[in-house]
Amino acid sequence: MPAKRTPETPEGSAPPAAEKEPPPVGETTASATRRGDRAAGTAGSDAGTSGSATVTAAWTSGSAVGSAAEREVPAEAVTPLIRGIAVLRELTEAGGTLSLSGLERASGLARSTVDRITATLARMGYVRFDGRDVHLSPRLMELGNAYMSALRLPALLSPHADALADELDESVSLAVADRDGIRFIHQTTRRRAMSLSFRIGDLLPAERTAPGPLFATQWAAADWQRWRERRAADPRDLSFTAVPPRTYEGDAKDDETFVHRTREASTHGWSLDDQLIEPGLVAISVPVRSPGPGGRIASVASVVSHTSRHTARDLRTTLLPRLRSAVRAMERELHTAPPPEPGPPPSDLALWTGASKQQLGREFIESLARGLTVLTAFGEGRPELTLTEVSRATGLARATARRALITYEHLDLVAATGRTFTLTPRVLALGFPPLSRTSLPEIAQPHLADLTSRIHESTSLAVLSESGEEIQYTARVATARVMSVNITVGTRLPAYATALGRVLLADASGDTLPSASLRAFTPHTITDERTLAEALTSVRAQGYALVDEELEEGLRSIAVPIRDGSGRVVAALNTAMHASRRTPRECVTDLVPELTATAARIQTDLHTAARFTHVPLT
């Protein structure tokens, strides 16, 4: 049920709290419906610092359903930050895209509030607009990346998971606990028509998974009580959008089955999912324990298959020994890995948000932007931070950082232990699942559209074929002209005779040329191997390729590289036109800077998206 709308009040209308180290905000429990996590019902100023407020169906224990219908918001919580998180959650649950009116309905917020929140998020690069639709942008993944970097498990354990998947030819996943649910932090899938995988960051109910009973072996009485309350409030699992709802309402027998599975997991040291999520899906899991006394479960590794390949019994008898061997290697990795060197924290964020406020005025909600930057203070080598360290890393005043941390603890995005704070797996709920499936063409498309609108020429993205002899167009935005370059996505052309191909060949092959014969398409086509080798050397040196009427008379094209995080060229970006529209010199002076700037923006998004996920090139 949507929460009540509250009137807008000027940002910053309430006095700041005293600047001192905060005591930990106590944990609270709450509940929500599937369209829950409503932050719209908060009362108080738009700065979110005055008075106490009530959030209808707020964030809760590991799922979206908890034990109470309402939850009291701390007096110093930042209302715009709560609302902004709610908007990001609605976009996430909708698969990454919603219209502005759809966001208004889903969140229960006033349209003016939705407009200001999305304008602020767009300024930060976290969403983009396409007409009246709002789309999550890859840069939003930096929030989830902060959690994953601080956790370290994906970086340390994923190579072992990938090797196991290759050995078994089955999908392998890594999961962590999120209260009474689990979230995936790594997936290695097999390319098959019957594909088995969840998205990174997806939340699943513990009782319907193989990792769940293993994590439940460590639950205290309060955890079991919270789980029972959630099960009673949501017997069909409607709050878990990543799994099919139950076809019937679970009962006491189902609950007792999970208790029994947990006892077995404690005894055997492994757990099985025999078609609990959906018919045909089976999985077996083994815990990965942290080094040191107690050996608490840090993560759970799972092999996932389907009944046409393996029965549940097969998983136990055939795959379990190899899974256990891989887990032992993972535990050795955790034991021997040296502590990481802290990476660079974000810088000048307070100055940036202040400048944005000056430029955009009321449309930019500075308290929302500053609150979101607090999450990026965490990362590799910075898993636990004090208030002072958060303030120093972000450049925010201690009072501002303190109110953001209080808000995040209320939303279960941050956990406090003594005077330090850590991110929780729930940070992955902020856009990570839908964005974890993004591809390079999807990342590039809005940037191509923006480039085309500026230079008034068609733009394209292409990759090198497996043979290395052709390019394949993977994204394209055409300009509206009577005479334009007519190429569609999927088209293949010889690499040596195109600007896109020469950019790719210059990096991929060095001085090794395509094995195919270099035939002439026009009198200008380079067909001599030595001349082509010299051209590729020039492309590597100057950072772009200009091909003038070599593929087709009258067609002039210029291209620049797109590089992955290692610096390898994985794609190329170009624009092409009739030779009469721009001279070769004008192409270099006018278009290369525009292409290079666009390539840099695509690369930034690619590097963010690919840090902990696999980004397909096509």
Side-chain angles (χ1 to χ4, degrees):
M1 178 178 182
K4 281 186 180 178
R5 297 177 181 172
T6 54
E8 296 284 324
T9 55
E11 188 171 6
S13 61
E19 294 190 18
K20 60 181 179 180
E21 289 283 346
V25 179
E27 287 190 2
T28 58
T29 58
S31 69
T33 60
R34 182 168 185 171
R35 298 304 298 166
D37 302 343
R38 296 287 182 260
T42 44
S45 76
D46 202 27
T49 57
S50 64
S52 127
T54 300
V55 175
T56 302
W59 287 44
T60 70
S61 59
S63 72
V65 176
S67 60
E70 294 187 341
R71 179 180 185 179
E72 195 71 14
V73 178
E76 293 179 289
V78 185
T79 305
L81 183 55
I82 295 175
R83 292 170 173 169
I85 293 295
V87 166
L88 289 175
R89 283 279 296 189
E90 296 295 353
L91 283 166
T92 301
E93 291 188 6
T97 302
L98 267 179
S99 66
L100 287 166
S101 58
L103 265 177
E104 180 186 3
R105 289 190 299 271
S107 67
L109 295 169
R111 177 57 181 269
S112 60
T113 302
V114 170
D115 289 344
R116 294 181 63 207
I117 288 172
T118 52
T120 302
L121 295 173
R123 176 72 172 183
M124 301 183 75
Y126 289 169
V127 304
R128 63 178 177 85
F129 294 102
D130 183 6
R132 304 185 72 81
D133 289 337
V134 183
H135 301 263
L136 295 178
S137 294
R139 186 171 177 181
L140 178 62
M141 295 177 76
E142 72 180 11
L143 303 182
N145 287 348
Y147 165 74
M148 301 276 255
S149 298
L151 185 66
R152 289 195 77 198
L153 295 179
L156 294 176
L157 305 186
S158 60
H160 298 282
D162 295 346
L164 180 63
D166 290 339
E167 177 190 351
L168 302 181
D169 194 26
E170 297 289 354
S171 297
V172 174
S173 66
L174 298 171
V176 294
D178 186 351
R179 298 290 187 92
D180 61 345
I182 71 161
R183 286 192 193 272
F184 293 105
I185 58 170
H186 181 74
Q187 289 277 358
T188 306
T189 59
R190 302 290 88 186
R191 284 191 173 185
R192 295 195 183 100
M194 181 64 70
S195 178
L196 296 172
S197 71
F198 291 96
R199 303 171 303 181
I200 295 176
D202 270 337
L203 177 68
L204 278 68
E207 67 275 8
R208 291 179 65 183
T209 68
L214 292 165
F215 286 121
T217 62
Q218 300 182 148
W219 286 1
D223 299 313
W224 282 102
Q225 178 62 26
R226 182 170 49 236
W227 172 74
R228 292 184 188 281
E229 289 172 353
R230 187 261 294 167
R231 289 283 297 120
D234 183 23
R236 293 191 58 208
D237 296 334
L238 297 177
S239 59
F240 293 91
T241 57
V243 298
R246 291 178 186 266
T247 56
Y248 64 96
E249 292 194 357
D251 53 23
K253 182 178 179 181
D254 292 312
D255 291 356
E256 186 55 39
T257 297
F258 180 60
V259 173
H260 177 69
R261 291 177 62 218
T262 301
R263 292 196 192 104
E264 286 192 326
S266 180
T267 300
H268 301 309
W270 52 267
S271 181
L272 194 67
D273 166 11
D274 189 359
Q275 307 180 73
L276 294 172
I277 292 177
E278 63 179 42
L281 189 151
V282 290
I284 192 164
S285 297
V286 171
V288 182
R289 297 188 179 274
S290 299
R296 289 188 64 82
I297 299 174
S299 179
V300 168
S302 304
V303 177
V304 187
S305 189
H306 58 83
T307 52
S308 297
R309 292 177 58 83
H310 292 282
T311 65
R313 179 181 176 83
D314 287 340
L315 293 181
R316 285 198 309 275
T317 58
T318 306
L319 302 188
L320 179 58
R322 292 146 93 180
L323 173 58
R324 278 178 160 160
S325 176
V327 165
R328 285 193 293 271
M330 293 180 186
E331 291 176 338
R332 285 194 298 271
E333 186 78 42
L334 293 181
H335 182 75
T336 60
E341 291 293 328
S347 59
D348 298 327
L349 292 174
L351 294 176
W352 179 87
T353 57
S356 297
K357 180 67 174 179
Q358 289 249 340
Q359 183 177 350
L360 297 182
R362 190 178 183 278
E363 292 306 303
F364 184 80
I365 307 175
E366 191 172 9
S367 56
L368 168 59
R370 288 185 168 182
L372 288 171
T373 64
V374 165
L375 295 178
T376 65
F378 298 84
E380 188 171 6
R382 304 190 306 278
E384 298 180 338
L385 297 176
T386 64
L387 169 61
T388 299
E389 289 168 334
V390 171
S391 174
R392 187 183 302 123
T394 58
L396 298 173
R398 283 162 53 90
T400 301
R402 177 175 183 262
R403 292 194 297 273
L405 289 168
I406 287 172
T407 306
Y408 285 136
E409 192 171 5
H410 168 68
L411 299 176
D412 295 325
L413 292 164
V414 160
T417 304
R419 302 173 80 85
T420 63
F421 300 87
T422 57
L423 299 182
T424 73
R426 188 156 298 193
V427 174
L428 295 176
L430 303 180
F432 215 90
L435 290 172
S436 69
R437 291 287 180 86
T438 193
S439 65
L440 180 56
E442 291 170 328
I443 290 173
Q445 194 70 26
H447 296 289
L448 295 184
D450 182 59
L451 175 61
T452 295
S453 69
R454 292 200 311 273
I455 66 176
H456 307 292
E457 301 288 357
S458 300
T459 57
S460 303
L461 189 81
V463 297
L464 202 60
S465 67
E466 292 183 1
S467 69
E469 297 179 357
E470 294 179 310
I471 60 166
Q472 180 180 358
Y473 285 81
T474 58
R476 181 167 170 77
V477 175
T479 189
R481 286 184 181 272
V482 174
M483 183 173 63
S484 62
V485 179
N486 184 21
I487 295 174
T488 59
V489 171
T491 297
R492 291 183 176 235
L493 294 173
Y496 71 91
T498 64
L500 289 162
R502 287 188 189 169
V503 165
L504 293 163
L505 289 174
D507 182 82
S509 60
D511 294 330
T512 303
L513 301 178
S515 59
S517 60
L518 307 180
R519 72 182 184 92
F521 294 93
T522 75
H524 307 284
T525 308
I526 293 177
T527 57
D528 176 69
E529 290 188 7
R530 182 175 179 180
T531 305
L532 180 59
E534 292 172 352
L536 296 181
T537 300
S538 296
V539 169
R540 284 194 294 274
Q542 64 196 15
Y544 67 87
L546 175 66
V547 170
D548 194 10
E549 301 189 73
E550 294 189 43
L551 182 67
E552 184 178 318
E553 291 189 16
L555 179 64
R556 184 169 291 152
S557 177
I558 191 163
V560 298
I562 304 290
R563 300 180 184 274
D564 65 12
S566 68
R568 182 173 65 96
V569 176
V570 293
L573 165 68
N574 92 322
T575 185
M577 71 219 72
H578 190 269
S580 63
R581 289 214 285 271
R582 281 185 173 89
T583 66
R585 180 179 178 81
E586 288 171 337
C587 286
V588 173
T589 58
D590 298 347
L591 297 180
V592 167
E594 293 280 4
L595 288 167
T596 302
T598 300
R601 286 189 282 271
I602 294 173
Q603 285 173 175
T604 297
D605 283 352
L606 173 62
H607 299 170
T608 301
R611 188 168 180 187
F612 293 105
T613 67
H614 170 66
V615 179
L617 300 181
T618 58

